[in-house]
């Protein structure tokens, strides 16, 4: 397992080439952090359309839970399972990195950090009695059993949203 890196999930839809956006994002990260490792997670169609030379790793989703949907959020939870890194910064595909500031997240002594805005203001999730709305464009996690259980739970909720939406 690689120590640390950036991960992005990108799947194209009818109107947007998100895989191409991932390549541009990777370029922006590598420009500001040349030693950074970047992994793209995508579906089979996305894997066929990209220039693999830009990415350190390309991982294909084994199951596409959003296959028939225009908005691909039902696969987001898989990033927590498929990341090849001990420490991972997950970035939405439409976010360009214009400074090396995101490296600060690797120094945080927390298992899971959700950023609250684009200035990287964050609060540890586990210390919160109530979870405030967060800016999920960037988040950080370490690979461990607790986070694995968290991502599987998020996946269960996302895959069964019609059932769970009535509880909250």
């Amino acid at each position: 397992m690689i120590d640390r890196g950036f991960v992005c999930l990108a799947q194209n839809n009818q109107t947007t080439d998100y895989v191409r956006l991932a390549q541009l994002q990777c370029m922006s990260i590598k420009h500001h952090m040349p030693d950074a490792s970047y992994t793209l997670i995508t579906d089979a169609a996305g894997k066929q359309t990209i220039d693999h030379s830009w990415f350190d790793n390309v991982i294909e989703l084994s199951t596409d839970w959003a296959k028939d949907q225009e908005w691909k959020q039902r696969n987001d939870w898989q990033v927590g399972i498929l990341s090849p890194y001990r420490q991972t910064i997950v970035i939405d595909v439409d976010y360009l990195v214009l400074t090396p500031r995101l490296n600060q997240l690797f120094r945080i002594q927390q298992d899971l950090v959700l950023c609250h805005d684009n200035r990287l203001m964050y609060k540890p999730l586990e210390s919160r009695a109530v979870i405030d709305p967060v800016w999920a464009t960037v988040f950080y996690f370490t690979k461990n059993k607790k986070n694995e259980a968290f991502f599987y739970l998020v996946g269960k909720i996302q895959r069964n949203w019609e059932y769970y939406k009535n509880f909250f």
Side-chain angles (χ1 to χ4, degrees):
M1 182 176 292
I2 305 166
D3 191 42
R4 61 174 57 165
F6 295 85
V7 172
C8 177
L9 173 69
Q11 293 179 266
N12 295 336
N13 63 22
Q14 296 296 321
T15 60
T16 307
D17 187 347
Y18 286 108
V19 174
R20 174 72 174 130
L21 287 175
Q23 181 179 329
L24 295 173
Q25 180 184 76
C26 181
M27 291 168 63
S28 74
I29 288 172
K30 298 280 187 173
H31 175 76
H32 294 286
M33 295 168 273
D35 296 329
S37 182
Y38 186 97
T39 295
L40 171 66
I41 299 174
T42 190
D43 54 20
K47 194 171 180 182
Q48 292 175 5
T49 65
I50 61 171
D51 178 356
H52 289 253
S53 67
W54 285 102
F55 306 101
D56 296 287
N57 305 290
V58 177
I59 298 173
E60 184 178 331
L61 292 165
S62 58
T63 303
D64 184 357
W65 294 100
K67 187 176 186 176
D68 298 324
Q69 299 175 337
E70 188 71 7
W71 196 250
K72 306 294 187 178
Q73 287 182 315
R74 289 209 175 144
N75 287 319
D76 288 353
W77 66 275
Q78 294 187 66
V79 171
I81 308 304
L82 297 174
S83 171
Y85 308 112
R86 285 186 188 89
Q87 294 179 284
T88 301
I89 296 174
V90 179
I91 308 177
D92 279 357
V93 69
D94 59 354
Y95 182 81
L96 293 180
V97 175
L98 303 177
T99 72
R101 193 165 177 211
L102 282 178
N103 270 329
Q104 294 175 25
L105 290 173
F106 289 123
R107 294 192 297 270
I108 293 174
Q109 298 299 310
Q110 299 293 329
D111 289 340
L112 178 63
V113 175
L114 305 176
C115 295
H116 283 259
D117 63 30
N118 64 357
R119 295 176 307 224
L120 295 183
M121 296 177 69
Y122 46 82
K123 298 175 185 172
L125 182 62
E126 60 200 31
S127 68
R128 307 282 299 166
V130 175
I131 300 174
D132 298 328
V134 293
W135 184 68
T137 295
V138 175
F139 68 94
Y140 163 87
F141 70 94
T142 59
K143 280 267 190 168
N144 59 38
K145 293 290 183 190
K146 181 171 64 171
N147 281 339
E148 183 178 328
F150 171 77
F151 285 111
Y152 276 119
L153 175 62
V154 170
K156 183 175 184 174
I157 293 168
Q158 285 183 329
R159 291 186 314 274
N160 298 287
W161 178 244
E162 291 304 315
Y163 175 78
Y164 284 103
K165 73 179 181 181
N166 297 317
F167 289 99
F168 303 103

